[in-house]
Amino acid sequence: TEVLEKIDFYPGNFSAQFGRGMGGIVDVGVRAPKDDGKLHGLAQLDLIDARLLVEKTFMIGKYPLKLLAAGRRSWFDAWLGPVLSSAGGGATQAPVYYDYQFIAETNPTPNASLRLSLFGSDDALKLLLADPAPGEPAISGNLGLHTGFQRVQIKYQNQYSDKDALSTV
């Protein structure tokens, strides 16, 4: 969440820049890494997940190289499953998720930016049924849901004048 710049929801009648889709659009914008030359970081651990974010700008010759790395991983599976099992629950659930972002950005000219992004996410939910119900022996075993993705993105933007700009991904 610390890497997001904006989240806009268009329930319908959206601009042609989003294509010819039907339904709504969720437009998520990622912010640029901080460019003040200082090392910035965040580490957090709670009952839901652990997260880490680090960002810094380096000068490569006369060009700034802004770097940002962030990641998050749930750890429900490490403590919720054993708690439910010890409480005598017949079903044990273990939701697991992680996501990561890596951004490298530079400004080859004062009006242009070039960004390389690597990002991904993985979400899984497993329902473990250890002991089947006596009346339903068919309901036993494991049930799981999983979704995930990995992406690489290169984005170039240039503001040539007040009226002329180029943005490509």
Side-chain angles (χ1 to χ4, degrees), residues 27 43 51 54 60 64 73-74 82-83 95 103 106 108 133 152 156:
D27 182 21
R51 65 179 68 200
V54 178
I60 308 296
R73 197 230 191 254
S74 69
V83 168
I103 300 171
T106 189
V152 175
Y156 175 74

PDB file of all heavy atoms in Angstrom, residues 27 43 51 54 60 64 73-74 82-83 95 103 106 108 133 152 156:
ATOM      1  N   ASP A  27      -8.361   1.740 -11.891  1.00  0.00           N
ATOM      2  CA  ASP A  27      -7.103   2.287 -12.377  1.00  0.00           C
ATOM      3  C   ASP A  27      -6.188   2.529 -11.177  1.00  0.00           C
ATOM      4  O   ASP A  27      -6.467   3.382 -10.339  1.00  0.00           O
ATOM      5  CB  ASP A  27      -7.371   3.595 -13.129  1.00  0.00           C
ATOM      6  CG  ASP A  27      -6.116   4.204 -13.718  1.00  0.00           C
ATOM      7  OD1 ASP A  27      -5.124   3.469 -13.909  1.00  0.00           O
ATOM      8  OD2 ASP A  27      -6.130   5.419 -13.995  1.00  0.00           O
ATOM      9  N   ALA A  43       9.628  -1.443   7.985  1.00  0.00           N
ATOM     10  CA  ALA A  43       9.513  -2.852   8.337  1.00  0.00           C
ATOM     11  C   ALA A  43       8.350  -2.968   9.317  1.00  0.00           C
ATOM     12  O   ALA A  43       8.246  -2.167  10.248  1.00  0.00           O
ATOM     13  CB  ALA A  43      10.789  -3.373   8.965  1.00  0.00           C
ATOM     14  N   ARG A  51       5.889  -7.030   6.327  1.00  0.00           N
ATOM     15  CA  ARG A  51       6.165  -6.238   5.132  1.00  0.00           C
ATOM     16  C   ARG A  51       7.475  -5.477   5.292  1.00  0.00           C
ATOM     17  O   ARG A  51       7.879  -5.164   6.401  1.00  0.00           O
ATOM     18  CB  ARG A  51       5.019  -5.292   4.812  1.00  0.00           C
ATOM     19  CG  ARG A  51       4.796  -4.225   5.834  1.00  0.00           C
ATOM     20  CD  ARG A  51       3.676  -3.281   5.483  1.00  0.00           C
ATOM     21  NE  ARG A  51       2.406  -3.983   5.533  1.00  0.00           N
ATOM     22  CZ  ARG A  51       1.308  -3.567   4.921  1.00  0.00           C
ATOM     23  NH1 ARG A  51       1.322  -2.459   4.233  1.00  0.00           N
ATOM     24  NH2 ARG A  51       0.203  -4.235   5.007  1.00  0.00           N
ATOM     25  N   VAL A  54      12.138  -0.629   1.025  1.00  0.00           N
ATOM     26  CA  VAL A  54      13.410   0.096   1.027  1.00  0.00           C
ATOM     27  C   VAL A  54      13.478   0.896  -0.270  1.00  0.00           C
ATOM     28  O   VAL A  54      13.147   0.378  -1.343  1.00  0.00           O
ATOM     29  CB  VAL A  54      14.611  -0.870   1.095  1.00  0.00           C
ATOM     30  CG1 VAL A  54      15.922  -0.105   1.036  1.00  0.00           C
ATOM     31  CG2 VAL A  54      14.543  -1.715   2.346  1.00  0.00           C
ATOM     32  N   ILE A  60      24.229   7.983 -11.059  1.00  0.00           N
ATOM     33  CA  ILE A  60      25.060   7.249 -12.006  1.00  0.00           C
ATOM     34  C   ILE A  60      25.521   8.284 -13.035  1.00  0.00           C
ATOM     35  O   ILE A  60      24.782   8.615 -13.964  1.00  0.00           O
ATOM     36  CB  ILE A  60      24.275   6.098 -12.684  1.00  0.00           C
ATOM     37  CG1 ILE A  60      23.585   5.210 -11.658  1.00  0.00           C
ATOM     38  CG2 ILE A  60      25.188   5.311 -13.607  1.00  0.00           C
ATOM     39  CD1 ILE A  60      24.516   4.462 -10.734  1.00  0.00           C
ATOM     40  N   PRO A  64      20.094  10.416 -12.207  1.00  0.00           N
ATOM     41  CA  PRO A  64      19.662   9.778 -10.962  1.00  0.00           C
ATOM     42  C   PRO A  64      19.058   8.391 -11.255  1.00  0.00           C
ATOM     43  O   PRO A  64      18.331   8.214 -12.225  1.00  0.00           O
ATOM     44  CB  PRO A  64      18.594  10.730 -10.434  1.00  0.00           C
ATOM     45  CG  PRO A  64      18.027  11.369 -11.661  1.00  0.00           C
ATOM     46  CD  PRO A  64      19.177  11.466 -12.632  1.00  0.00           C
ATOM     47  N   ARG A  73       4.287 -10.635   3.011  1.00  0.00           N
ATOM     48  CA  ARG A  73       3.878 -12.038   3.059  1.00  0.00           C
ATOM     49  C   ARG A  73       3.040 -12.264   4.303  1.00  0.00           C
ATOM     50  O   ARG A  73       3.395 -11.842   5.403  1.00  0.00           O
ATOM     51  CB  ARG A  73       5.090 -12.970   3.110  1.00  0.00           C
ATOM     52  CG  ARG A  73       4.704 -14.400   2.747  1.00  0.00           C
ATOM     53  CD  ARG A  73       5.222 -15.394   3.753  1.00  0.00           C
ATOM     54  NE  ARG A  73       5.085 -16.772   3.300  1.00  0.00           N
ATOM     55  CZ  ARG A  73       4.174 -17.595   3.785  1.00  0.00           C
ATOM     56  NH1 ARG A  73       3.288 -17.178   4.668  1.00  0.00           N
ATOM     57  NH2 ARG A  73       4.132 -18.841   3.396  1.00  0.00           N
ATOM     58  N   SER A  74       1.905 -12.926   4.109  1.00  0.00           N
ATOM     59  CA  SER A  74       1.062 -13.264   5.253  1.00  0.00           C
ATOM     60  C   SER A  74       1.704 -14.412   6.009  1.00  0.00           C
ATOM     61  O   SER A  74       2.506 -15.161   5.466  1.00  0.00           O
ATOM     62  CB  SER A  74      -0.334 -13.670   4.782  1.00  0.00           C
ATOM     63  OG  SER A  74      -0.266 -14.906   4.101  1.00  0.00           O
ATOM     64  N   PRO A  82      -2.392 -24.345  13.431  1.00  0.00           N
ATOM     65  CA  PRO A  82      -2.178 -25.031  14.709  1.00  0.00           C
ATOM     66  C   PRO A  82      -3.172 -24.618  15.800  1.00  0.00           C
ATOM     67  O   PRO A  82      -3.573 -25.446  16.613  1.00  0.00           O
ATOM     68  CB  PRO A  82      -0.746 -24.618  15.091  1.00  0.00           C
ATOM     69  CG  PRO A  82      -0.077 -24.325  13.789  1.00  0.00           C
ATOM     70  CD  PRO A  82      -1.151 -23.746  12.924  1.00  0.00           C
ATOM     71  N   VAL A  83      -3.581 -23.339  15.815  1.00  0.00           N
ATOM     72  CA  VAL A  83      -4.559 -22.901  16.815  1.00  0.00           C
ATOM     73  C   VAL A  83      -5.902 -23.591  16.594  1.00  0.00           C
ATOM     74  O   VAL A  83      -6.521 -24.094  17.525  1.00  0.00           O
ATOM     75  CB  VAL A  83      -4.715 -21.360  16.791  1.00  0.00           C
ATOM     76  CG1 VAL A  83      -5.924 -20.914  17.595  1.00  0.00           C
ATOM     77  CG2 VAL A  83      -3.459 -20.685  17.309  1.00  0.00           C
ATOM     78  N   PRO A  95      -5.062 -19.337   4.888  1.00  0.00           N
ATOM     79  CA  PRO A  95      -4.881 -18.368   3.805  1.00  0.00           C
ATOM     80  C   PRO A  95      -3.429 -17.889   3.758  1.00  0.00           C
ATOM     81  O   PRO A  95      -2.833 -17.622   4.787  1.00  0.00           O
ATOM     82  CB  PRO A  95      -5.827 -17.231   4.173  1.00  0.00           C
ATOM     83  CG  PRO A  95      -5.996 -17.338   5.647  1.00  0.00           C
ATOM     84  CD  PRO A  95      -5.811 -18.780   6.001  1.00  0.00           C
ATOM     85  N   ILE A 103      11.096  -1.385  -8.421  1.00  0.00           N
ATOM     86  CA  ILE A 103      11.026  -0.292  -9.392  1.00  0.00           C
ATOM     87  C   ILE A 103      12.402   0.357  -9.506  1.00  0.00           C
ATOM     88  O   ILE A 103      13.023   0.689  -8.498  1.00  0.00           O
ATOM     89  CB  ILE A 103       9.990   0.772  -8.971  1.00  0.00           C
ATOM     90  CG1 ILE A 103       8.600   0.150  -8.866  1.00  0.00           C
ATOM     91  CG2 ILE A 103       9.998   1.945  -9.940  1.00  0.00           C
ATOM     92  CD1 ILE A 103       7.564   1.063  -8.249  1.00  0.00           C
ATOM     93  N   THR A 106      14.791   6.271 -13.886  1.00  0.00           N
ATOM     94  CA  THR A 106      15.781   7.310 -14.155  1.00  0.00           C
ATOM     95  C   THR A 106      15.142   8.395 -15.009  1.00  0.00           C
ATOM     96  O   THR A 106      14.096   8.182 -15.620  1.00  0.00           O
ATOM     97  CB  THR A 106      17.036   6.727 -14.845  1.00  0.00           C
ATOM     98  OG1 THR A 106      18.040   7.749 -14.897  1.00  0.00           O
ATOM     99  CG2 THR A 106      16.734   6.226 -16.236  1.00  0.00           C
ATOM    100  N   PRO A 108      16.414  10.532 -18.040  1.00  0.00           N
ATOM    101  CA  PRO A 108      17.482  10.847 -18.989  1.00  0.00           C
ATOM    102  C   PRO A 108      17.521  12.320 -19.392  1.00  0.00           C
ATOM    103  O   PRO A 108      18.571  12.828 -19.758  1.00  0.00           O
ATOM    104  CB  PRO A 108      17.181   9.948 -20.186  1.00  0.00           C
ATOM    105  CG  PRO A 108      15.774   9.493 -20.019  1.00  0.00           C
ATOM    106  CD  PRO A 108      15.433   9.606 -18.580  1.00  0.00           C
ATOM    107  N   ALA A 133     -16.889 -36.191   8.411  1.00  0.00           N
ATOM    108  CA  ALA A 133     -18.080 -36.363   9.231  1.00  0.00           C
ATOM    109  C   ALA A 133     -18.594 -37.787   9.051  1.00  0.00           C
ATOM    110  O   ALA A 133     -18.540 -38.332   7.946  1.00  0.00           O
ATOM    111  CB  ALA A 133     -19.138 -35.349   8.821  1.00  0.00           C
ATOM    112  N   VAL A 152       6.562  -7.909 -15.766  1.00  0.00           N
ATOM    113  CA  VAL A 152       7.670  -7.005 -16.032  1.00  0.00           C
ATOM    114  C   VAL A 152       7.100  -5.885 -16.896  1.00  0.00           C
ATOM    115  O   VAL A 152       6.378  -6.150 -17.856  1.00  0.00           O
ATOM    116  CB  VAL A 152       8.823  -7.711 -16.784  1.00  0.00           C
ATOM    117  CG1 VAL A 152       9.912  -6.715 -17.146  1.00  0.00           C
ATOM    118  CG2 VAL A 152       9.380  -8.854 -15.971  1.00  0.00           C
ATOM    119  N   TYR A 156       7.948   4.552 -20.581  1.00  0.00           N
ATOM    120  CA  TYR A 156       8.685   5.747 -20.983  1.00  0.00           C
ATOM    121  C   TYR A 156       7.700   6.904 -21.100  1.00  0.00           C
ATOM    122  O   TYR A 156       6.646   6.761 -21.721  1.00  0.00           O
ATOM    123  CB  TYR A 156       9.395   5.533 -22.323  1.00  0.00           C
ATOM    124  CG  TYR A 156      10.082   6.762 -22.841  1.00  0.00           C
ATOM    125  CD1 TYR A 156      11.272   7.207 -22.268  1.00  0.00           C
ATOM    126  CD2 TYR A 156       9.545   7.497 -23.891  1.00  0.00           C
ATOM    127  CE1 TYR A 156      11.901   8.347 -22.734  1.00  0.00           C
ATOM    128  CE2 TYR A 156      10.169   8.634 -24.362  1.00  0.00           C
ATOM    129  CZ  TYR A 156      11.346   9.047 -23.781  1.00  0.00           C
ATOM    130  OH  TYR A 156      11.965  10.180 -24.227  1.00  0.00           O
TER     131      TYR A 156
END
